[in-house]
Amino acid sequence: MVLAVLAAAFAVALAATALRWLAAHPWTVVAVLSVAAVVAAARVWHRREALRWDRVRASGVRYALGQLDALHHREFEFAVRDLMRRDGCADARQVGGRGDNGADVKATDPSGRRWVIQCKHRRDGWAGKPVGTPDLHVLNGTGRQVHHGDVLVMLTNGRITDNAARFAKSQRLHLVDRHLLAEWAGGSRPLWDLLRALPPGGRPTRLEP
């Protein structure tokens, strides 16, 4: 009984001390509540994002070539990102823009391979300007050294020159032209099932910013 009384008295004294300290440091309370609010908001946002992309994957995102042709080049990059997410790359993101160093979409596939994709949108599709060797030079120069990619892809809704195809093969670059894009975007097979000579997986690391 005596121990219970002492414990209760100690608890009351401790609570009183804490209240006095908080009264003397009101900004601490504000800071703690602010951090808690930010953490709670972040958790809600991540939960909503996860649910949104679960719906995306469940709906089976698909694009017809006509839809892709009609997109703005930036929207085309986001469409490629959505297709990579559909296939299981949870961290796929659009990074194209000024100073992108040849990368428009980055992703990590379920096998741990880092994908760096450069997108070349042609509003005229197959009749548009073909992707040539010079278009591959930036990707080849930055894809591994700057972006630390395992799989470097040049992707277009148009066509690719024979010279560019030979250069890509010599430099272990992967090409997705209009025909392969139609199969990927309009189907359900992931891109890594459609490309040949990919490096082995087994490195479950996430992409760097």
Coordinates of all heavy atoms in Angstrom, one line a residue, residues 101-103 106 114-117 136-153 167-174 197-199 203 207-208:
N101 N 20.8 14.8 -68.8 CA 21.9 14.0 -69.1 C 21.5 12.7 -69.8 O 22.1 11.6 -69.5 CB 22.8 13.7 -67.9 CG 23.5 14.9 -67.4 OD1 24.1 15.7 -68.1 ND2 23.5 15.1 -66.1
G102 N 20.6 12.8 -70.7 CA 20.2 11.6 -71.5 C 19.3 10.6 -70.9 O 19.1 9.6 -71.5
A103 N 18.7 10.9 -69.8 CA 17.8 10.0 -69.1 C 16.4 10.7 -69.0 O 16.3 11.8 -68.5 CB 18.3 9.6 -67.7
K106 N 13.8 6.5 -65.4 CA 14.6 5.6 -64.6 C 13.7 4.6 -63.9 O 12.6 5.0 -63.4 CB 15.5 6.3 -63.6 CG 16.6 7.2 -64.2 CD 17.4 7.8 -63.1 CE 18.5 8.7 -63.7 NZ 19.4 9.2 -62.6
R114 N 19.0 -1.8 -62.9 CA 18.7 -0.4 -63.1 C 18.5 0.0 -64.6 O 19.4 -0.3 -65.4 CB 19.8 0.5 -62.5 CG 20.0 0.3 -61.0 CD 21.3 0.9 -60.6 NE 21.5 0.8 -59.2 CZ 22.7 1.1 -58.6 NH1 23.7 1.5 -59.3 NH2 22.8 1.0 -57.3
W115 N 17.3 0.5 -64.9 CA 17.0 0.9 -66.3 C 17.1 2.4 -66.4 O 16.6 3.2 -65.6 CB 15.6 0.4 -66.6 CG 15.4 -1.0 -66.7 CD1 15.6 -2.0 -65.7 CD2 15.1 -1.8 -67.9 NE1 15.3 -3.2 -66.2 CE2 15.1 -3.2 -67.5 CE3 14.8 -1.4 -69.2 CZ2 14.8 -4.2 -68.4 CZ3 14.5 -2.4 -70.1 CH2 14.5 -3.8 -69.7
V116 N 17.8 2.8 -67.5 CA 17.9 4.2 -67.9 C 17.3 4.2 -69.3 O 17.9 3.6 -70.3 CB 19.3 4.7 -67.9 CG1 19.4 6.1 -68.4 CG2 19.9 4.6 -66.5
I117 N 16.2 5.0 -69.5 CA 15.5 5.0 -70.8 C 15.5 6.4 -71.4 O 15.1 7.4 -70.7 CB 14.1 4.5 -70.7 CG1 14.1 3.1 -70.1 CG2 13.4 4.5 -72.0 CD1 12.7 2.6 -69.8
L136 N 22.3 8.4 -79.9 CA 22.7 7.4 -79.0 C 23.9 7.8 -78.2 O 24.2 7.2 -77.2 CB 23.0 6.1 -79.7 CG 21.8 5.4 -80.3 CD1 22.2 4.2 -81.1 CD2 20.7 5.0 -79.3
H137 N 24.6 8.8 -78.7 CA 25.9 9.1 -78.1 C 25.8 9.6 -76.6 O 26.6 9.3 -75.8 CB 26.6 10.2 -78.9 CG 27.2 9.7 -80.2 ND1 27.6 10.5 -81.2 CD2 27.4 8.4 -80.6 CE1 28.1 9.7 -82.2 NE2 27.9 8.4 -81.8
V138 N 24.8 10.4 -76.4 CA 24.6 10.9 -75.0 C 24.2 9.8 -74.0 O 24.8 9.7 -73.0 CB 23.5 12.0 -75.0 CG1 23.2 12.5 -73.5 CG2 23.9 13.3 -75.8
L139 N 23.3 9.0 -74.5 CA 22.9 7.8 -73.6 C 24.1 6.9 -73.4 O 24.3 6.5 -72.2 CB 21.8 7.0 -74.3 CG 21.3 5.8 -73.6 CD1 20.7 6.1 -72.3 CD2 20.3 5.0 -74.5
N140 N 24.9 6.7 -74.4 CA 26.0 5.8 -74.2 C 27.1 6.4 -73.3 O 27.8 5.7 -72.6 CB 26.6 5.5 -75.6 CG 27.7 4.4 -75.5 OD1 27.5 3.4 -74.9 ND2 28.9 4.7 -76.1
G141 N 27.2 7.8 -73.3 CA 28.2 8.4 -72.5 C 27.8 8.7 -71.1 O 28.7 8.8 -70.2
T142 N 26.5 8.7 -70.8 CA 26.0 9.0 -69.4 C 25.3 7.9 -68.7 O 25.2 7.8 -67.5 CB 25.1 10.2 -69.4 OG1 23.9 9.9 -70.2 CG2 25.8 11.4 -70.0
G143 N 24.7 6.9 -69.5 CA 23.8 5.9 -69.0 C 24.5 5.1 -67.8 O 23.8 4.9 -66.8
R144 N 25.7 4.7 -68.0 CA 26.4 3.9 -67.0 C 27.2 4.8 -66.1 O 27.2 4.6 -64.8 CB 27.3 2.9 -67.7 CG 26.5 1.9 -68.5 CD 27.4 0.8 -69.1 NE 26.6 -0.2 -69.9 CZ 26.4 0.0 -71.2 NH1 27.0 1.0 -71.8 NH2 25.7 -0.9 -71.8
Q145 N 27.9 5.8 -66.6 CA 28.9 6.6 -65.8 C 28.1 7.5 -64.9 O 28.5 7.7 -63.7 CB 29.8 7.4 -66.7 CG 30.8 6.5 -67.5 CD 30.2 6.1 -68.9 OE1 28.9 6.0 -69.0 NE2 31.0 5.8 -69.9
V146 N 27.1 8.2 -65.4 CA 26.3 9.2 -64.6 C 25.1 8.6 -63.9 O 24.9 8.8 -62.7 CB 25.9 10.3 -65.5 CG1 25.0 11.3 -64.7 CG2 27.1 11.0 -66.1
H147 N 24.3 7.8 -64.6 CA 23.1 7.3 -64.1 C 23.2 5.9 -63.5 O 22.3 5.3 -62.9 CB 22.0 7.2 -65.1 CG 21.7 8.6 -65.7 ND1 21.2 9.6 -65.0 CD2 21.9 9.1 -67.0 CE1 21.0 10.7 -65.8 NE2 21.5 10.4 -67.0
H148 N 24.4 5.2 -63.6 CA 24.7 3.9 -63.1 C 23.7 2.9 -63.5 O 23.2 2.0 -62.7 CB 24.7 4.0 -61.5 CG 25.5 5.1 -61.0 ND1 26.9 5.1 -61.1 CD2 25.2 6.3 -60.3 CE1 27.4 6.2 -60.6 NE2 26.4 6.9 -60.1
G149 N 23.3 2.9 -64.8 CA 22.3 2.0 -65.3 C 22.9 0.7 -65.7 O 24.1 0.6 -66.1
D150 N 22.1 -0.4 -65.6 CA 22.5 -1.7 -66.0 C 21.9 -2.0 -67.4 O 22.6 -2.7 -68.2 CB 21.9 -2.8 -65.1 CG 22.5 -2.6 -63.7 OD1 23.7 -2.5 -63.5 OD2 21.7 -2.6 -62.7
V151 N 20.8 -1.4 -67.7 CA 20.1 -1.6 -69.0 C 19.8 -0.2 -69.5 O 19.1 0.6 -69.0 CB 18.8 -2.4 -68.8 CG1 18.2 -2.6 -70.2 CG2 19.0 -3.7 -68.1
L152 N 20.5 0.1 -70.7 CA 20.3 1.4 -71.3 C 19.5 1.3 -72.5 O 19.8 0.4 -73.4 CB 21.7 2.0 -71.7 CG 22.8 2.0 -70.6 CD1 24.0 2.7 -71.1 CD2 22.3 2.6 -69.3
V153 N 18.4 2.0 -72.6 CA 17.4 1.8 -73.7 C 17.1 3.1 -74.4 O 16.9 4.2 -73.8 CB 16.1 1.3 -73.1 CG1 15.0 1.1 -74.2 CG2 16.3 0.0 -72.3
F167 N 25.6 0.5 -84.0 CA 26.3 1.2 -83.0 C 25.7 0.7 -81.6 O 26.5 0.4 -80.7 CB 26.1 2.7 -83.1 CG 26.8 3.5 -82.0 CD1 28.1 3.7 -81.9 CD2 26.0 4.0 -80.9 CE1 28.7 4.4 -80.9 CE2 26.6 4.7 -79.9 CZ 27.9 4.9 -79.9
A168 N 24.4 0.6 -81.5 CA 23.8 0.1 -80.2 C 24.3 -1.2 -79.9 O 24.6 -1.5 -78.7 CB 22.3 0.2 -80.4
K169 N 24.4 -2.1 -80.8 CA 24.8 -3.5 -80.5 C 26.3 -3.5 -80.1 O 26.6 -4.3 -79.1 CB 24.7 -4.4 -81.8 CG 25.0 -5.8 -81.6 CD 24.7 -6.6 -82.8 CE 25.0 -8.1 -82.6 NZ 24.8 -8.9 -83.8
S170 N 27.1 -2.7 -80.7 CA 28.5 -2.7 -80.3 C 28.7 -2.1 -78.9 O 29.7 -2.4 -78.2 CB 29.3 -1.8 -81.3 OG 29.0 -0.4 -81.2
Q171 N 27.8 -1.2 -78.4 CA 27.9 -0.6 -77.1 C 27.0 -1.2 -76.0 O 26.8 -0.6 -75.0 CB 27.6 0.9 -77.3 CG 28.6 1.6 -78.3 CD 30.0 1.5 -77.8 OE1 30.3 1.8 -76.7 NE2 30.9 1.1 -78.7
R172 N 26.3 -2.3 -76.4 CA 25.4 -2.9 -75.4 C 24.3 -2.0 -75.0 O 23.9 -1.9 -73.9 CB 26.1 -3.4 -74.2 CG 27.1 -4.5 -74.5 CD 27.8 -5.0 -73.2 NE 28.7 -4.0 -72.7 CZ 28.5 -3.5 -71.4 NH1 27.6 -3.9 -70.7 NH2 29.4 -2.6 -71.0
L173 N 23.7 -1.3 -76.0 CA 22.6 -0.4 -75.8 C 21.4 -1.2 -76.4 O 21.5 -1.9 -77.3 CB 22.7 0.9 -76.5 CG 23.9 1.7 -76.2 CD1 24.0 3.0 -77.1 CD2 24.0 2.1 -74.8
H174 N 20.2 -1.0 -75.8 CA 19.0 -1.7 -76.2 C 18.0 -0.7 -76.9 O 17.9 0.4 -76.5 CB 18.3 -2.3 -75.1 CG 19.1 -3.4 -74.4 ND1 19.2 -4.7 -74.8 CD2 20.0 -3.3 -73.4 CE1 20.0 -5.4 -74.1 NE2 20.5 -4.6 -73.2
A197 N 19.6 -10.3 -74.6 CA 20.9 -10.1 -74.1 C 21.0 -9.1 -73.0 O 21.8 -8.2 -72.9 CB 21.9 -9.6 -75.3
L198 N 20.0 -9.2 -72.1 CA 20.0 -8.3 -70.9 C 21.1 -8.8 -69.9 O 21.3 -10.0 -69.8 CB 18.6 -8.3 -70.3 CG 17.5 -7.6 -71.0 CD1 16.2 -7.7 -70.2 CD2 17.9 -6.2 -71.4
P199 N 21.6 -7.9 -69.1 CA 22.6 -8.4 -68.0 C 21.8 -9.2 -67.0 O 20.6 -9.0 -66.8 CB 23.1 -7.1 -67.5 CG 22.1 -6.1 -67.8 CD 21.5 -6.5 -69.1
R203 N 20.6 -7.7 -58.3 CA 21.2 -6.6 -57.5 C 20.0 -5.8 -57.0 O 19.6 -4.8 -57.6 CB 22.1 -5.7 -58.3 CG 22.8 -4.7 -57.4 CD 23.9 -3.9 -58.2 NE 23.4 -3.1 -59.3 CZ 24.1 -2.4 -60.0 NH1 25.4 -2.3 -59.9 NH2 23.6 -1.7 -61.0
L207 N 17.4 3.0 -57.4 CA 18.1 4.0 -58.1 C 18.4 5.2 -57.3 O 17.7 5.6 -56.4 CB 17.1 4.5 -59.3 CG 17.0 3.6 -60.5 CD1 15.9 4.0 -61.3 CD2 18.3 3.7 -61.3
E208 N 19.6 5.8 -57.6 CA 20.0 7.0 -57.0 C 19.2 8.2 -57.6 O 18.7 8.1 -58.7 CB 21.5 7.2 -57.1 CG 22.3 6.1 -56.5 CD 23.8 6.3 -56.9 OE1 24.1 7.3 -57.6 OE2 24.6 5.5 -56.4

